Amino acid sequence: MANMYNPPHPGELIKEAIEALDISARKLALALDVAPSTVQRLISGKSDMSPEMAIRLSAVIGSSEHVWMGMQDAYDLWHAKQKIDVSRLQRLRRPSLIAGDA
């Protein structure tokens, strides 16, 4: 059974930050020292958060790079869980050790 929560793509939060800072995506790109198209792809959800971008965003917008990467991980894991059927998989278990067996 899949979780009901669908975490947002990190780009949605970057878009909100752009609005809150009252700047353009182009100005954010300049501050991040990346191409405007890179920011556009990220805020539209067409590209994923990279570790490099997480470091840049941490320096320019705030929050730690771990928070930015965590957002991407949560987004990716949720979407993977929607696609993968684990109903036929069986957990491997370690054989139980009976007291006295040596």
Side-chain angles (χ1 to χ4, degrees), residues 9 45 48 52 69 96:
H9 186 276
D48 292 340
E52 294 82 3
M69 289 307 298
S96 59

Side-chain angles (χ1 to χ4, degrees), residues 27-46:
K27 187 165 183 177
L28 177 62
L30 190 62
L32 292 168
D33 194 27
V34 298
S37 60
T38 299
V39 171
Q40 280 299 345
R41 283 193 309 275
L42 191 55
I43 64 175
S44 67
K46 292 179 180 165

